[in-house]
Amino acid sequence: MSEAIAKARAGRAWWVPAVWGALLLAACLGMGALEGLFRWVEPDSRAVIYARADFLTLLGRHLLVVGVAALAAVAIGVGAAVAVTRRAGRDFLPLVAQLASIGQTFPPVAVLALAVPVLGFGTLPIIVALLLYGLLPIVRNTLAGIEGIDPGVREAARGMGMTGGQLLRQVELPLAAPVILAGIRTSVTINIATAAIGATVGASNLGDPIISGIVNGNTAYVLQGALLIGLLALTVDSVFARLQPAGPR
Amino acid sequence: MIDLIHVTKRFGATTAVDDISLSVAQGELCVLVGTSGCGKSTTLRMINRLIEHSDGEIHIDGQQIRAFREETLRRRMGYAIQSTGLFPHWTVARNIGLVPRLLKWPQARIRERVEELMTLLGLPVSEFADKYPRQLSGGQAQRVGVARALAADPDILLMDEPFGALDPITRETLQEELRALQGRLHKTIVFVTHDMDEALRLADRLVVMDQGRIKQQGHPLELLREPADAFVESLLGGEDRGLKEAALLPVSERMLPLSPRLLARERVAHDASLREALSIMLWRHAERLTVVDDEDLPIGELSLRRLVGAKAHE
């Protein structure tokens, strides 16, 4: 019976990301169709549809920035968490957990402000800011996932003669995967929204219409940027929801 | 064959195992028994180097265990623990095939061996091979744990309270199966437990430990009859020792040939223990039992007088 439920859940879950994705694409390509609505919101402005760049291009850049930051955060976050759960790295566990927490308490705007003088304007500072901001959920969840494994399983694996690498690849990572994936999901979803501030330092992405709207007092632009970022976040989040196993094993 | 020679283990300032020497012969089932913290588990885990000994030497078939790579050593020994440690994301069949896969056996041979072991441990292949550990009862999971320990056909089996978490009935069934299995496989087994009844039932050699030292070792009957000191005596059950000894002796040992008298109404199997016979007498208010063979045919008789009296003369 539980298999039937899981199947039904999986069946439903596949069209959810598809619908969100289709809405997102439709909004990117057909924003002009909503001109009447935005004219009503902003009757006095000359233009009510953001036209300085194509929405699809902005979406692509937004995804690129978030994607690169996420890949780097996963590599560093999972790597660090794995390293400090090995016997040799145990001593660094509290340090790494603390560093990751500090990463998240540090506001991304402050990181941007500090990064720009060093890295210059453009895409790089925002990637650094997102990377730091997104590390905590990944590190925390990877640690929780690995530490949460029944100690008997690890004892048996070693007692049977598995090497450290075999234990990690065949036992610890597969068992911790759902928890790690949940951390990546949180990290990426937060960063899709946070990436918008990149527009203030010249990284053009879906934050552009929002920043431009704020600067020029054009609420319609702000709404368009917010709408697209919201749809993107929902699409990506529903993809992760689909990837995640239905329940604890 | 396993030899521990003046082995000591210190954790910081505390000494967990204090200068013990122990030799387990090929095919012997050696049970380490004692209260919690007596060092029995530490001793077991030093044999497969999950814990490194501080002093002394441990030999397997005459070779120092430090001469092997840790992994190589462990793959040569079966290991079963109380929590089973089955991998929750692997099926029963895959769990059992773990060590053969680590040893890079060909797929077909692994499958054959896994099916052989599942049959041996009473786990029908068609029913259990594709199940996950969470779908098993405690007794079934422990059978899988034992099957996994036996998978690569090791000469040595290390068992750390494997039946400790099971209900009494399942535990007794598995104990009997382990004895039967041992009768066929003749492994060298080191078995740790704190349950004295389990220890007495299983052991060829019983090793009583206390505070990191071996208090006494020998055949269970030797220890029951001549405990070295008050500690061993109390651990063996104090006044209950008579019953524990009776539990180790079969009825056939005290049975007399059939007399011309009428057969007693109550019967007892010839391979039952004297303890069971005594219990039947108490329960049925009978002083005499007819002993029957496997086919339920009378082969002798046992009187209460004979049951208790013969012991007094020894």
Side-chain angles (χ1 to χ4, degrees):
Chain A
M1 200 182 77
S2 64
E3 270 171 49
I5 294 172
K7 224 174 251 176
R9 205 177 282 168
R12 192 195 63 197
W14 257 133
W15 59 260
V16 173
V19 167
W20 287 124
L23 276 175
L24 175 63
L25 277 182
C28 280
L29 296 170
M31 197 64 90
L34 298 175
E35 184 160 0
L37 178 69
F38 291 117
R39 177 60 70 192
W40 174 74
V41 172
E42 200 61 43
D44 303 329
S45 298
R46 203 153 36 84
V48 291
I49 300 294
Y50 186 79
R52 220 169 299 165
D54 174 31
F55 283 124
L56 217 49
T57 316
L58 294 180
L59 173 68
R61 292 197 187 131
H62 202 98
L63 275 175
L64 185 75
V65 167
V66 174
V68 170
L71 281 181
V74 169
I76 298 173
V78 174
V82 164
V84 298
T85 48
R86 300 308 96 188
R87 226 181 317 175
R90 279 259 154 218
D91 295 347
F92 296 97
L93 200 152
L95 178 72
V96 165
Q98 208 141 38
L99 277 180
S101 311
I102 292 171
Q104 205 172 35
T105 55
F106 220 80
V109 177
V111 177
L112 275 188
L114 291 174
V116 167
V118 184
L119 303 169
F121 279 88
T123 318
L124 206 51
I126 185 67
I127 289 180
V128 172
L130 293 184
L131 164 62
L132 289 180
Y133 203 54
L135 266 179
L136 174 71
I138 296 177
V139 171
R140 190 186 49 204
N141 280 36
T142 308
L143 286 177
I146 292 178
E147 303 269 279
I149 294 170
D150 173 7
V153 167
R154 202 174 280 118
E155 155 122 12
R158 292 218 299 132
M160 295 287 151
M162 280 186 138
T163 61
Q166 285 166 334
L167 173 65
L168 178 67
R169 282 191 309 276
Q170 298 182 34
V171 180
E172 291 182 312
L173 286 182
L175 284 176
V179 187
I180 298 176
L181 201 63
I184 297 174
R185 178 180 174 181
T186 310
S187 162
V188 170
T189 316
I190 292 174
N191 274 349
I192 286 174
T194 313
I197 61 163
T200 57
V201 294
S204 100
N205 57 35
L206 290 175
D208 280 9
I210 297 178
I211 302 298
S212 161
I214 291 170
V215 171
N216 301 317
N218 189 331
T219 314
Y221 288 0
V222 177
L223 285 176
Q224 286 152 29
L227 174 72
L228 292 175
I229 290 175
L231 284 174
L232 177 61
L234 286 167
T235 309
V236 171
D237 192 58
S238 59
V239 170
F240 274 110
R242 175 66 191 82
L243 289 177
Q244 215 145 26
R249 290 192 223 234
Chain B
M1 186 169 150
I2 307 168
D3 290 297
L4 280 74
I5 306 158
H6 297 296
V7 172
T8 296
K9 175 64 194 178
R10 282 179 291 269
F11 293 107
T14 54
T15 306
V17 173
D18 193 1
D19 189 28
I20 65 170
S21 293
L22 173 67
S23 175
V24 186
Q26 173 69 40
E28 195 173 36
L29 202 167
C30 170
V31 177
L32 305 181
V33 69
T35 48
S36 353
C38 70
K40 56 191 192 297
S41 269
T42 307
T43 304
L44 183 84
R45 290 150 57 92
M46 283 194 290
I47 298 174
N48 66 359
R49 289 182 66 188
L50 282 175
I51 295 176
E52 293 285 349
H53 55 278
S54 316
D55 266 320
E57 286 179 14
I58 301 178
H59 295 240
I60 301 295
D61 295 329
Q63 271 184 290
Q64 275 228 46
I65 56 170
R66 285 192 175 144
F68 301 96
R69 260 184 63 214
E70 281 176 47
E71 286 83 20
T72 318
L73 180 79
R74 291 176 191 152
R75 287 170 196 176
R76 284 184 50 175
M77 302 179 183
Y79 187 51
I81 57 178
Q82 180 174 343
S83 64
T84 73
L86 296 179
F87 298 170
H89 59 309
W90 285 9
T91 61
V92 165
R94 193 154 179 220
N95 264 294
I96 296 175
L98 169 63
V99 181
R101 199 169 312 109
L102 292 176
L103 293 169
K104 302 198 165 61
W105 287 17
Q107 280 298 325
R109 189 170 158 216
I110 295 177
R111 197 173 324 117
E112 200 178 306
R113 177 68 180 157
V114 167
E115 289 179 2
E116 182 187 341
L117 280 165
M118 290 184 70
T119 311
L120 187 68
L121 283 145
L123 299 160
V125 176
S126 56
E127 190 183 339
F128 287 100
D130 295 325
K131 281 200 170 166
Y132 285 89
R134 77 194 129 96
Q135 298 169 298
L136 304 176
S137 70
Q140 289 161 353
Q142 202 48 260
R143 281 164 204 265
V144 176
V146 173
R148 179 174 65 175
L150 289 169
D153 204 13
D155 292 330
I156 293 170
L157 212 51
L158 306 178
M159 309 182 92
D160 196 350
E161 303 205 27
F163 308 144
L166 302 175
D167 65 83
I169 294 172
T170 312
R171 188 185 315 161
E172 214 164 302
T173 314
L174 281 175
Q175 286 163 359
E176 272 164 35
E177 284 180 24
L178 179 64
R179 274 268 37 140
L181 216 57
Q182 173 65 353
R184 288 166 61 183
L185 303 176
H186 306 291
K187 303 287 180 193
T188 306
I189 303 178
V190 181
F191 189 108
V192 163
T193 183
H194 61 257
D195 175 351
M196 185 50 86
D197 287 314
E198 179 168 79
L200 289 170
R201 197 169 294 143
L202 293 175
D204 296 321
R205 174 201 294 274
L206 190 59
V207 179
V208 175
M209 289 187 68
D210 183 39
Q211 295 174 3
R213 290 168 179 273
I214 293 178
K215 281 276 177 182
Q216 193 177 0
Q217 57 172 307
H219 190 273
L221 284 175
E222 278 173 50
L223 268 70
L224 278 167
R225 286 170 189 165
E226 284 168 44
D229 59 17
F231 174 82
V232 177
E233 188 177 331
S234 78
L235 200 67
L236 283 165
E239 297 300 331
D240 264 354
R241 277 192 290 146
L243 286 174
K244 299 207 177 201
E245 183 182 347
L248 294 179
L249 297 170
V251 164
S252 50
E253 191 143 313
R254 298 278 163 84
M255 170 182 90
L256 287 175
L258 284 169
S259 67
R261 285 191 293 174
L262 271 176
L263 285 179
R265 213 164 54 133
E266 307 302 338
R267 302 170 156 224
V268 65
H270 69 104
D271 55 356
S273 69
L274 288 180
R275 182 182 170 140
E276 285 170 82
L278 184 61
S279 175
I280 294 172
M281 289 177 179
L282 284 167
W283 187 245
R284 300 287 182 184
H285 308 295
E287 288 192 1
R288 208 154 62 90
L289 299 176
T290 300
V291 181
V292 294
D293 65 8
D294 293 331
E295 265 95 54
D296 216 23
L297 297 171
I299 52 170
E301 59 179 40
L302 181 70
S303 64
L304 178 61
R305 206 191 167 84
R306 173 81 183 151
L307 194 158
V308 296
K311 208 153 76 179
H313 290 300
E314 256 179 19

